[in-house]
Amino acid sequence: MHGLAVYTLLLMVAAVYGQIPPYNDSCVQVPYPPSKDRAVPAYIINLDLPPEQRWAQVAMEKRKEIGGIISEFKKFLLNFGDGKIFTIIEKLGVGDLFTYNIFYELFTVCTSIVSQDVNGKMYHVRNLDFGLFLGWDVKNRTWELTEVLRPAIINVDWQRDSQIVFRSVQYAGYIGVLTAVKKGVFTYSMNERFRLDGGYMGILEYIQDHKGSWMSLMARDTLETAKSFEEAFNTFSNTQLIAPGYFILGGTKPDQGVVITRNREVNGTDVWPMTDKTAGGWYVLETNYDHWKAPLFLDDRRGPANKCMQHMGQENVGFPGLFNVLSSKPVLNKLTTYAALMQVDSGTLETWLQYCPDPCEPF
């Protein structure tokens, strides 16, 4: 990202923060399960159908939401990086859905946690925060894209031969996978990694020479084909990518929780298991900063999240306790669109819309 762009973003951060009243980042106790109006609709994607037919029902029922998201993305791309990506995309004529499906490679913030209970049963949860710098609504103190995204969130059962291959949470119209569980095999989430040589450069290279793999599409392929935690781990560790990122994986066995920190190239990969003394011992937690570095002082979700995990304790690991952690500010913030709760043995995936009433951190 160019120096001027960084300076502009910092000015925006200061302006947004100036409108947010102070709050206490205490660990909360919230009702579980949440009210039914925070649940998301479920769809089936039939992998036996031709690709152009698989999303027909979603596209028909969510066409308004998909259109609104694409409009917001295009507005951002016109200004991001001097509009270079948008200009190239327009010249290539690849269309609006391509624009939609590359967007995660650019910018999101998230919190992912893999933990095990006292019996070694594995749980994987995450908040997905999306919409940073995409239009701050001064009057309502919300991010414009975040508000547009929530109505488009769906759960998907990916099926082949009428059998569920894996389950995921999707933004309608987005064909990659950011959060998913493959029953009896592994759980997965992906967090953005901020680097100067990041998704922006990777997308330009891909447009020019198709170098690298889209993270979310590679993840989807892996969820379809991997037959073990170890196989998934090897793929996520050794595939060249378009953007750097964090892959968070959970398995079926005790201690099978790991954060894989990736560059775009297959070098410098760092593997951080939950058993490491710098992790939680019974959990591993990732936001959007390398675990060996301090987070940005304006965006420390890591410290409060670890505080709430310790407050909860391993004896309370389960969906209710972990949902409390995800609902504690600033883990919960103005960017948070959903909380996903996964358990690998049962193949359970619960998705709940998340809202952060004032006073609340912008991210």
Side-chain angles (χ1 to χ4, degrees):
M1 191 181 295
H2 298 298
L4 179 60
V6 173
Y7 180 69
T8 302
L9 293 181
L10 288 175
L11 287 177
M12 184 180 294
V13 168
V16 171
Y17 256 90
Q19 300 175 47
I20 302 297
Y23 71 97
N24 294 319
D25 58 345
S26 59
C27 302
V28 301
Q29 299 286 323
V30 296
Y32 177 86
S35 59
K36 292 182 179 179
D37 61 351
R38 291 175 58 184
V40 304
Y43 291 84
I44 292 172
I45 296 300
N46 185 353
L47 295 170
D48 295 318
L49 291 175
E52 63 272 15
Q53 297 179 23
R54 295 173 185 172
W55 295 93
Q57 182 183 3
V58 175
M60 179 182 65
E61 296 183 8
K62 293 290 185 179
R63 59 188 180 277
K64 180 180 178 181
E65 290 85 352
I66 294 170
I69 295 170
I70 291 173
S71 295
E72 290 293 324
F73 285 174
K74 290 173 72 173
K75 278 197 305 184
F76 177 76
L77 288 177
L78 281 168
N79 298 306
F80 185 81
D82 301 323
K84 290 180 181 178
I85 293 179
F86 184 81
T87 300
I88 294 172
I89 289 171
E90 288 290 290
K91 287 181 179 178
L92 291 175
V94 291
D96 290 344
L97 283 178
F98 178 83
T99 303
Y100 185 1
N101 279 276
I102 70 171
F103 208 79
Y104 187 82
E105 314 291 322
L106 290 176
F107 218 82
T108 59
V109 291
C110 316
T111 300
S112 295
I113 306 168
V114 178
S115 60
Q116 62 188 36
D117 68 13
V118 292
N119 297 311
K121 189 175 183 179
M122 302 298 294
Y123 293 83
H124 188 156
V125 301
R126 70 99 48 86
N127 273 354
L128 199 146
D129 307 342
F130 208 144
L132 186 61
F133 303 126
L134 297 181
W136 177 253
D137 184 330
V138 176
K139 180 180 179 181
N140 296 309
R141 292 200 292 271
T142 57
W143 295 101
E144 293 177 2
L145 180 60
T146 305
E147 300 303 304
V148 171
L149 281 167
R150 282 197 194 93
I153 297 170
I154 59 174
N155 280 349
V156 170
D157 285 353
W158 301 76
Q159 295 190 4
R160 181 176 285 115
D161 297 326
S162 300
Q163 300 296 313
I164 296 174
V165 181
F166 66 93
R167 288 188 163 121
S168 70
V169 190
Q170 305 289 125
Y171 296 115
Y174 187 83
I175 63 173
V177 179
L178 309 178
T179 311
V181 54
K182 186 166 187 175
K183 182 179 179 180
V185 184
F186 72 100
T187 51
Y188 146 87
S189 61
M190 177 168 58
N191 291 12
E192 180 76 4
R193 187 184 186 202
F194 307 134
R195 292 178 65 86
L196 292 177
D197 182 24
Y200 173 64
M201 294 302 299
I203 289 171
L204 291 178
E205 288 183 9
Y206 179 83
I207 290 171
Q208 293 169 5
D209 58 21
H210 284 200
K211 181 181 179 181
S213 297
W214 299 100
M215 292 192 295
S216 60
L217 295 178
M218 181 270 287
R220 175 179 150 181
D221 290 342
T222 304
L223 282 154
E224 286 190 47
T225 61
K227 294 179 173 58
S228 67
F229 172 84
E230 292 78 11
E231 183 180 346
F233 172 85
N234 288 333
T235 301
F236 286 114
S237 300
N238 298 300
T239 302
Q240 178 151 333
L241 304 170
I242 286 172
Y246 303 101
F247 295 118
I248 301 91
L249 302 182
T252 58
K253 301 175 183 176
D255 300 332
Q256 277 188 336
V258 65
V259 175
I260 305 168
T261 302
R262 284 294 314 273
N263 294 330
R264 291 195 293 126
E265 298 79 14
V266 184
N267 61 42
T269 298
D270 178 83
V271 176
W272 190 37
M274 64 192 301
T275 53
D276 190 283
K277 63 180 181 180
T278 62
W282 47 274
Y283 72 91
V284 64
L285 186 156
E286 178 59 55
T287 57
N288 298 96
Y289 302 95
D290 298 343
H291 67 86
W292 59 91
K293 297 179 181 178
L296 182 69
F297 72 99
L298 287 174
D299 181 29
D300 184 10
R301 287 164 284 124
R302 180 202 296 172
N306 275 302
K307 170 186 167 184
C308 290
M309 287 295 291
Q310 294 295 329
H311 177 78
M312 177 187 71
Q314 188 176 12
E315 64 276 11
N316 291 312
V317 168
F319 283 0
L322 291 166
F323 187 69
N324 283 335
V325 176
L326 296 181
S327 300
S328 299
K329 302 172 185 177
V331 181
L332 175 67
N333 57 77
K334 289 289 188 178
L335 286 169
T336 309
T337 58
Y338 69 75
L341 313 173
M342 299 179 283
Q343 206 292 308
V344 65
D345 301 306
S346 62
T348 303
L349 168 63
E350 292 186 8
T351 306
W352 303 99
L353 299 179
Q354 285 278 55
Y355 303 88
C356 192
D358 286 325
C360 179
E361 285 277 42
F363 53 83

